[in-house]
Amino acid sequence: MRSIISYIRHMARPEWLKKFFFAKTAPLTTPAHFRDFPHLTDKECTHCFQCMMICPALGAIEVVRTEKPGEWKPVIYPGHCIRCGLCVEICPELVLDAGRVHTKNAQDGTYMQFQFHITVNPVTCMGCGSCTVACPVNKEIDPQLAAKGTSTSDEVIMRVYKGINTVFHEDKCTGCKTCEEQCPTRSILVARVLEPLQLEEEK
Ligand code: SF4
Ligand code: SF4
Ligand code: SF4
């Protein structure tokens, strides 16, 4: 009991009360770099799925069909979202926004892009061509692609060349990973490479 009284006496000192009620603190402002949970803008989603592909948090974002025919939208699950803002930065249609991500990026002239990097293990690749034939982009570029993965076109993403799967145009890869799934020896890997870029200032 005595300790409570002494505590109250200590807390009720006039100089402390004065400080408590009249001390000036810095105004509460949201820092420019703060990234809140993403929310939808009124822009139309083209269901490119880039936001889902870039998201580092499992189950944080999903692009779904709405009840309106032909309409899609991303859905954020706050329990999983870590508020990194990458989906906001990558969306080419500005469907998402969070905090001041767009404003800051516009001020800094920064933007984000990613591409896919394909690695073939030359030791374990048998040159069977399963990945090459399964690749949907390859099929579109060269419908005559042979069952063994050989092709006469140099425009394909990859083809069997000198007994091994050889990559020619990884810039055309969409990251679907069909090739990975089809490879019987797990010799092909498709990794997403993120690249933050800055617009060059006009001279
Ligand atoms: S929200 Fe943006 S990035 Fe995600 S699917 Fe729609 S258009 Fe693509
Ligand atoms: S803010 Fe980051 S974690 Fe959250 S949905 Fe977007 S990409 Fe995923
Ligand atoms: S990830 Fe898809 S598009 Fe890219 S090389 Fe593999 S199958 Fe082709």
Side-chain angles (χ1 to χ4, degrees):
M1 187 65 181
R2 208 183 295 158
S3 61
I4 294 174
I5 293 169
S6 110
Y7 179 74
I8 293 171
R9 243 193 234 141
H10 182 74
M11 293 298 286
R13 276 180 305 155
E15 63 272 24
W16 191 91
L17 288 174
K18 203 170 141 197
K19 268 189 202 156
F20 183 83
F21 288 108
F22 300 105
K24 288 212 167 42
T25 52
L28 287 173
T29 50
T30 310
H33 56 269
F34 181 75
R35 296 174 168 212
D36 206 344
F37 286 114
H39 61 265
L40 301 194
T41 62
D42 56 357
K43 302 284 191 319
E44 197 180 325
C45 170
T46 56
H47 61 282
C48 66
F49 300 113
Q50 292 194 51
C51 51
M52 280 179 72
M53 285 193 276
I54 204 171
C55 178
L58 198 66
I61 187 166
E62 191 182 16
V63 178
V64 296
R65 278 198 175 94
T66 69
E67 284 169 5
K68 221 163 128 191
E71 190 184 75
W72 294 71
K73 68 166 186 183
V75 179
I76 312 292
Y77 299 101
H80 296 262
C81 174
I82 55 170
R83 300 192 294 185
C84 65
L86 291 178
C87 57
V88 176
E89 289 198 54
I90 202 76
C91 176
E93 310 296 334
L94 306 181
V95 173
L96 294 158
D97 199 2
R100 292 164 60 190
V101 173
H102 287 158
T103 321
K104 271 309 278 173
N105 285 2
Q107 277 169 0
D108 301 346
T110 51
Y111 64 101
M112 191 91 76
Q113 75 169 27
F114 69 85
Q115 64 175 56
F116 294 96
H117 180 57
I118 306 167
T119 319
V120 179
N121 184 334
V123 179
T124 52
C125 173
M126 310 183 293
C128 66
S130 303
C131 55
T132 313
V133 176
C135 173
V137 179
N138 260 7
K139 271 188 207 157
E140 214 166 278
I141 296 171
D142 182 8
Q144 306 301 321
L145 203 75
K148 284 279 179 194
T150 53
S151 167
T152 49
S153 169
D154 278 346
E155 293 306 311
V156 288
I157 295 182
M158 56 195 174
R159 64 180 160 91
V160 176
Y161 177 69
K162 293 188 178 172
I164 195 172
N165 183 34
T166 310
V167 179
F168 289 87
H169 289 286
E170 70 179 5
D171 53 301
K172 294 179 184 173
C173 173
T174 60
C176 68
K177 290 182 178 266
T178 310
C179 50
E180 279 187 6
E181 282 162 22
Q182 294 303 317
C183 177
T185 54
R186 297 181 62 83
S187 299
I188 185 163
L189 284 175
V190 180
R192 185 176 49 208
V193 183
L194 255 185
E195 199 179 10
L197 296 168
Q198 180 144 34
L199 293 171
E200 277 186 32
E201 278 177 31
E202 282 178 28
K203 291 179 186 157

